[in-house]
Amino acid sequence: MSQPGVIIVGAGQGGLQAAISLRQEGYTGPVTLIGAEPGLPYQRPPLSKAYLAAGDAEALVLRPESFFAAKDITYLHSTTVEAIDRDARRVVLPGGRLDYDRLILATGTRNLRPPIAGLDRALDLRTLADAGRLREVLASTRRVAVIGGGFIGLEFAAAARKLGHQVAVIEAAERLMARVVSPLMSRYFAMLHHDWGTEVHLGQPAVAVDETGVTLADGAHVPADTVLLAAGVCPNTELAEAAELAVENGIRLDAQLRTSDPAIFALGDCASFPDPRSGRQVRLESVQAATDHARLIAAQIAKGATASYAAVPWFWSDQGDRKLQIAGLAGADAHEEILADGIVARVDAIGVAALETVNKAGAHMRARRLLAGHAPVSLDELKAAVLKTAA
Ligand SMILES: Cc1cc2nc3c(=O)[nH]c(=O)nc-3n(C[C@H](O)[C@H](O)[C@H](O)COP(=O)(O)OP(=O)(O)OC[C@H]3O[C@@H](n4cnc5c(N)ncnc54)[C@H](O)[C@@H]3O)c2cc1C
């Protein structure tokens, strides 16, 4: 009987990388990549950046159709996996069942939908289809309100301003990007967006959306013809939960990215894993995490590699002409230290947790290299490495 092989559920950035890496690592069994979306796997980051202006969907495609035949990877698009039968090692599709030896869950996230009246009037920005719809609507409207002042909301706000729209950002927290950057960086970006002509509303959640715009909790009204919802995401864990895998802020993984079933791995936005530095169980929403997870899992499946996941997290966000980059991962317990203009360190009880930079690619790369070492990094070591030229 032929070997069932590896099935990957979710053909986003991480799912595709898992298929690519399995072949790169020499895996010769069947590989089946199953994705709910139509078309070829594509990159999401440009959807809130360059794609809004250029509208070039071809440029987003990660691998051409010929790649799948060349690498003997079966790619099923527009196909939603409905269930996992762990006892039989099978996944259930609308038209049948497929057996697996190893299963990789790469199901990503979907937009959170906070309790806001009339929210069905707001647009999403998660998929290429969402971005296409948004571009169409933007072509005939002037005033845009964005619910959510995180990376995606702010990237979109900067792009929409550049296209000449009136833009308002509504953030329920007291500061922008509060989950991911230091208070200093939040203030800096609030000033920047304000200087670019965007209205920034902080500390007031949106409570209603109607044809005139968005109403805030304090009764203020933000006029808008188009409303974008960018208020965070939740991991797609339903398949895992129904299969009784451990789920805790995402599909729970061990240090080798295995779920509570040794035949099933998970990766990327849908999974939580032990942060190698702090030991905390974390879930990251970044291309880096999804692709580095995929590489480690593929090496395990193909070659029996036993290494634990140890990659340094890093993030970027392009807002207007500013590239915010973060090397490392800081928790709420980290305090901030300004190292130079546009360079902020976040330090906790262990040492340096992260470095935030604006338009300082060299400093970001040096911090990433330093943080990749096994020993904790002190603030002095970071300064010595990063401030060499601070460029
Ligand atoms: C607008 C936008 C801008 C972004 N910008 C950045 C950025 O600048 N930098 C950065 O690092 N990250 C950015 N991200 C985040 C980044 O795109 C994600 O972290 C990355 O795509 C995660 O990869 P993934 O494989 O875990 O999930 P995804 O790429 O989200 O893919 C998951 C896929 O699984 C499919 N799926 C779910 N359930 C099923 C099922 N049952 N059956 C079949 N298929 C299923 C989904 O349809 C989806 O296509 C951005 C995201 C968005 C939306």
mmCIF file with all atom_site columns, all heavy atoms in Angstrom, residues 22-34:
data_model
loop_
_atom_site.group_PDB
_atom_site.id
_atom_site.type_symbol
_atom_site.label_atom_id
_atom_site.label_alt_id
_atom_site.label_comp_id
_atom_site.label_asym_id
_atom_site.label_entity_id
_atom_site.label_seq_id
_atom_site.pdbx_PDB_ins_code
_atom_site.Cartn_x
_atom_site.Cartn_y
_atom_site.Cartn_z
_atom_site.occupancy
_atom_site.B_iso_or_equiv
_atom_site.pdbx_formal_charge
_atom_site.auth_seq_id
_atom_site.auth_comp_id
_atom_site.auth_asym_id
_atom_site.auth_atom_id
_atom_site.pdbx_PDB_model_num
ATOM 1   N N   . LEU A 1 22 ? 9.623  20.638 3.176  1.00 0.00 ? 22 LEU A N   1
ATOM 2   C CA  . LEU A 1 22 ? 9.621  19.165 3.177  1.00 0.00 ? 22 LEU A CA  1
ATOM 3   C C   . LEU A 1 22 ? 10.434 18.647 1.999  1.00 0.00 ? 22 LEU A C   1
ATOM 4   O O   . LEU A 1 22 ? 11.266 17.753 2.141  1.00 0.00 ? 22 LEU A O   1
ATOM 5   C CB  . LEU A 1 22 ? 8.186  18.634 3.097  1.00 0.00 ? 22 LEU A CB  1
ATOM 6   C CG  . LEU A 1 22 ? 7.427  18.603 4.420  1.00 0.00 ? 22 LEU A CG  1
ATOM 7   C CD1 . LEU A 1 22 ? 5.922  18.430 4.173  1.00 0.00 ? 22 LEU A CD1 1
ATOM 8   C CD2 . LEU A 1 22 ? 7.943  17.474 5.323  1.00 0.00 ? 22 LEU A CD2 1
ATOM 9   N N   . ARG A 1 23 ? 10.225 19.234 0.827  1.00 0.00 ? 23 ARG A N   1
ATOM 10  C CA  . ARG A 1 23 ? 10.992 18.793 -0.356 1.00 0.00 ? 23 ARG A CA  1
ATOM 11  C C   . ARG A 1 23 ? 12.459 19.191 -0.219 1.00 0.00 ? 23 ARG A C   1
ATOM 12  O O   . ARG A 1 23 ? 13.349 18.396 -0.532 1.00 0.00 ? 23 ARG A O   1
ATOM 13  C CB  . ARG A 1 23 ? 10.387 19.389 -1.638 1.00 0.00 ? 23 ARG A CB  1
ATOM 14  C CG  . ARG A 1 23 ? 9.024  18.803 -1.991 1.00 0.00 ? 23 ARG A CG  1
ATOM 15  C CD  . ARG A 1 23 ? 9.121  17.307 -2.287 1.00 0.00 ? 23 ARG A CD  1
ATOM 16  N NE  . ARG A 1 23 ? 7.839  16.755 -2.710 1.00 0.00 ? 23 ARG A NE  1
ATOM 17  C CZ  . ARG A 1 23 ? 7.285  15.667 -2.188 1.00 0.00 ? 23 ARG A CZ  1
ATOM 18  N NH1 . ARG A 1 23 ? 7.886  15.000 -1.211 1.00 0.00 ? 23 ARG A NH1 1
ATOM 19  N NH2 . ARG A 1 23 ? 6.128  15.224 -2.626 1.00 0.00 ? 23 ARG A NH2 1
ATOM 20  N N   . GLN A 1 24 ? 12.713 20.410 0.286  1.00 0.00 ? 24 GLN A N   1
ATOM 21  C CA  . GLN A 1 24 ? 14.125 20.830 0.438  1.00 0.00 ? 24 GLN A CA  1
ATOM 22  C C   . GLN A 1 24 ? 14.876 19.906 1.398  1.00 0.00 ? 24 GLN A C   1
ATOM 23  O O   . GLN A 1 24 ? 16.057 19.647 1.238  1.00 0.00 ? 24 GLN A O   1
ATOM 24  C CB  . GLN A 1 24 ? 14.191 22.272 0.960  1.00 0.00 ? 24 GLN A CB  1
ATOM 25  C CG  . GLN A 1 24 ? 13.895 23.299 -0.111 1.00 0.00 ? 24 GLN A CG  1
ATOM 26  C CD  . GLN A 1 24 ? 13.749 24.705 0.448  1.00 0.00 ? 24 GLN A CD  1
ATOM 27  O OE1 . GLN A 1 24 ? 13.563 24.904 1.653  1.00 0.00 ? 24 GLN A OE1 1
ATOM 28  N NE2 . GLN A 1 24 ? 13.806 25.689 -0.431 1.00 0.00 ? 24 GLN A NE2 1
ATOM 29  N N   . GLU A 1 25 ? 14.167 19.406 2.401  1.00 0.00 ? 25 GLU A N   1
ATOM 30  C CA  . GLU A 1 25 ? 14.807 18.528 3.394  1.00 0.00 ? 25 GLU A CA  1
ATOM 31  C C   . GLU A 1 25 ? 14.887 17.085 2.926  1.00 0.00 ? 25 GLU A C   1
ATOM 32  O O   . GLU A 1 25 ? 15.317 16.209 3.664  1.00 0.00 ? 25 GLU A O   1
ATOM 33  C CB  . GLU A 1 25 ? 14.033 18.583 4.727  1.00 0.00 ? 25 GLU A CB  1
ATOM 34  C CG  . GLU A 1 25 ? 14.027 19.940 5.411  1.00 0.00 ? 25 GLU A CG  1
ATOM 35  C CD  . GLU A 1 25 ? 15.367 20.280 6.050  1.00 0.00 ? 25 GLU A CD  1
ATOM 36  O OE1 . GLU A 1 25 ? 16.262 19.410 6.080  1.00 0.00 ? 25 GLU A OE1 1
ATOM 37  O OE2 . GLU A 1 25 ? 15.526 21.419 6.508  1.00 0.00 ? 25 GLU A OE2 1
ATOM 38  N N   . GLY A 1 26 ? 14.382 16.830 1.728  1.00 0.00 ? 26 GLY A N   1
ATOM 39  C CA  . GLY A 1 26 ? 14.534 15.497 1.142  1.00 0.00 ? 26 GLY A CA  1
ATOM 40  C C   . GLY A 1 26 ? 13.370 14.554 1.393  1.00 0.00 ? 26 GLY A C   1
ATOM 41  O O   . GLY A 1 26 ? 13.486 13.352 1.152  1.00 0.00 ? 26 GLY A O   1
ATOM 42  N N   . TYR A 1 27 ? 12.250 15.068 1.857  1.00 0.00 ? 27 TYR A N   1
ATOM 43  C CA  . TYR A 1 27 ? 11.078 14.198 2.073  1.00 0.00 ? 27 TYR A CA  1
ATOM 44  C C   . TYR A 1 27 ? 10.553 13.730 0.716  1.00 0.00 ? 27 TYR A C   1
ATOM 45  O O   . TYR A 1 27 ? 10.286 14.558 -0.162 1.00 0.00 ? 27 TYR A O   1
ATOM 46  C CB  . TYR A 1 27 ? 10.001 14.958 2.847  1.00 0.00 ? 27 TYR A CB  1
ATOM 47  C CG  . TYR A 1 27 ? 8.787  14.123 3.145  1.00 0.00 ? 27 TYR A CG  1
ATOM 48  C CD1 . TYR A 1 27 ? 8.804  13.160 4.151  1.00 0.00 ? 27 TYR A CD1 1
ATOM 49  C CD2 . TYR A 1 27 ? 7.619  14.276 2.396  1.00 0.00 ? 27 TYR A CD2 1
ATOM 50  C CE1 . TYR A 1 27 ? 7.700  12.369 4.412  1.00 0.00 ? 27 TYR A CE1 1
ATOM 51  C CE2 . TYR A 1 27 ? 6.500  13.498 2.650  1.00 0.00 ? 27 TYR A CE2 1
ATOM 52  C CZ  . TYR A 1 27 ? 6.551  12.547 3.652  1.00 0.00 ? 27 TYR A CZ  1
ATOM 53  O OH  . TYR A 1 27 ? 5.451  11.767 3.907  1.00 0.00 ? 27 TYR A OH  1
ATOM 54  N N   . THR A 1 28 ? 10.374 12.416 0.541  1.00 0.00 ? 28 THR A N   1
ATOM 55  C CA  . THR A 1 28 ? 9.994  11.908 -0.780 1.00 0.00 ? 28 THR A CA  1
ATOM 56  C C   . THR A 1 28 ? 8.555  11.377 -0.827 1.00 0.00 ? 28 THR A C   1
ATOM 57  O O   . THR A 1 28 ? 8.063  11.010 -1.888 1.00 0.00 ? 28 THR A O   1
ATOM 58  C CB  . THR A 1 28 ? 10.946 10.763 -1.217 1.00 0.00 ? 28 THR A CB  1
ATOM 59  O OG1 . THR A 1 28 ? 10.961 9.789  -0.163 1.00 0.00 ? 28 THR A OG1 1
ATOM 60  C CG2 . THR A 1 28 ? 12.341 11.286 -1.490 1.00 0.00 ? 28 THR A CG2 1
ATOM 61  N N   . GLY A 1 29 ? 7.878  11.335 0.322  1.00 0.00 ? 29 GLY A N   1
ATOM 62  C CA  . GLY A 1 29 ? 6.494  10.843 0.337  1.00 0.00 ? 29 GLY A CA  1
ATOM 63  C C   . GLY A 1 29 ? 5.536  11.886 -0.234 1.00 0.00 ? 29 GLY A C   1
ATOM 64  O O   . GLY A 1 29 ? 5.928  13.002 -0.569 1.00 0.00 ? 29 GLY A O   1
ATOM 65  N N   . PRO A 1 30 ? 4.255  11.519 -0.341 1.00 0.00 ? 30 PRO A N   1
ATOM 66  C CA  . PRO A 1 30 ? 3.269  12.468 -0.859 1.00 0.00 ? 30 PRO A CA  1
ATOM 67  C C   . PRO A 1 30 ? 3.110  13.679 0.065  1.00 0.00 ? 30 PRO A C   1
ATOM 68  O O   . PRO A 1 30 ? 3.134  13.547 1.292  1.00 0.00 ? 30 PRO A O   1
ATOM 69  C CB  . PRO A 1 30 ? 1.967  11.656 -0.882 1.00 0.00 ? 30 PRO A CB  1
ATOM 70  C CG  . PRO A 1 30 ? 2.390  10.231 -0.828 1.00 0.00 ? 30 PRO A CG  1
ATOM 71  C CD  . PRO A 1 30 ? 3.678  10.196 -0.074 1.00 0.00 ? 30 PRO A CD  1
ATOM 72  N N   . VAL A 1 31 ? 2.969  14.856 -0.549 1.00 0.00 ? 31 VAL A N   1
ATOM 73  C CA  . VAL A 1 31 ? 2.695  16.092 0.196  1.00 0.00 ? 31 VAL A CA  1
ATOM 74  C C   . VAL A 1 31 ? 1.438  16.703 -0.409 1.00 0.00 ? 31 VAL A C   1
ATOM 75  O O   . VAL A 1 31 ? 1.376  16.949 -1.617 1.00 0.00 ? 31 VAL A O   1
ATOM 76  C CB  . VAL A 1 31 ? 3.869  17.093 0.079  1.00 0.00 ? 31 VAL A CB  1
ATOM 77  C CG1 . VAL A 1 31 ? 3.509  18.428 0.738  1.00 0.00 ? 31 VAL A CG1 1
ATOM 78  C CG2 . VAL A 1 31 ? 5.146  16.524 0.696  1.00 0.00 ? 31 VAL A CG2 1
ATOM 79  N N   . THR A 1 32 ? 0.443  16.949 0.438  1.00 0.00 ? 32 THR A N   1
ATOM 80  C CA  . THR A 1 32 ? -0.802 17.555 -0.041 1.00 0.00 ? 32 THR A CA  1
ATOM 81  C C   . THR A 1 32 ? -1.063 18.829 0.749  1.00 0.00 ? 32 THR A C   1
ATOM 82  O O   . THR A 1 32 ? -1.116 18.803 1.984  1.00 0.00 ? 32 THR A O   1
ATOM 83  C CB  . THR A 1 32 ? -1.996 16.576 0.148  1.00 0.00 ? 32 THR A CB  1
ATOM 84  O OG1 . THR A 1 32 ? -1.661 15.341 -0.468 1.00 0.00 ? 32 THR A OG1 1
ATOM 85  C CG2 . THR A 1 32 ? -3.266 17.134 -0.469 1.00 0.00 ? 32 THR A CG2 1
ATOM 86  N N   . LEU A 1 33 ? -1.191 19.923 0.014  1.00 0.00 ? 33 LEU A N   1
ATOM 87  C CA  . LEU A 1 33 ? -1.421 21.236 0.615  1.00 0.00 ? 33 LEU A CA  1
ATOM 88  C C   . LEU A 1 33 ? -2.866 21.622 0.306  1.00 0.00 ? 33 LEU A C   1
ATOM 89  O O   . LEU A 1 33 ? -3.244 21.688 -0.868 1.00 0.00 ? 33 LEU A O   1
ATOM 90  C CB  . LEU A 1 33 ? -0.434 22.232 0.000  1.00 0.00 ? 33 LEU A CB  1
ATOM 91  C CG  . LEU A 1 33 ? -0.536 23.700 0.400  1.00 0.00 ? 33 LEU A CG  1
ATOM 92  C CD1 . LEU A 1 33 ? -0.214 23.874 1.879  1.00 0.00 ? 33 LEU A CD1 1
ATOM 93  C CD2 . LEU A 1 33 ? 0.434  24.545 -0.447 1.00 0.00 ? 33 LEU A CD2 1
ATOM 94  N N   . ILE A 1 34 ? -3.650 21.871 1.371  1.00 0.00 ? 34 ILE A N   1
ATOM 95  C CA  . ILE A 1 34 ? -5.084 22.127 1.164  1.00 0.00 ? 34 ILE A CA  1
ATOM 96  C C   . ILE A 1 34 ? -5.423 23.516 1.693  1.00 0.00 ? 34 ILE A C   1
ATOM 97  O O   . ILE A 1 34 ? -5.186 23.815 2.871  1.00 0.00 ? 34 ILE A O   1
ATOM 98  C CB  . ILE A 1 34 ? -5.944 21.082 1.914  1.00 0.00 ? 34 ILE A CB  1
ATOM 99  C CG1 . ILE A 1 34 ? -5.500 19.663 1.555  1.00 0.00 ? 34 ILE A CG1 1
ATOM 100 C CG2 . ILE A 1 34 ? -7.426 21.294 1.606  1.00 0.00 ? 34 ILE A CG2 1
ATOM 101 C CD1 . ILE A 1 34 ? -6.203 18.580 2.363  1.00 0.00 ? 34 ILE A CD1 1
#
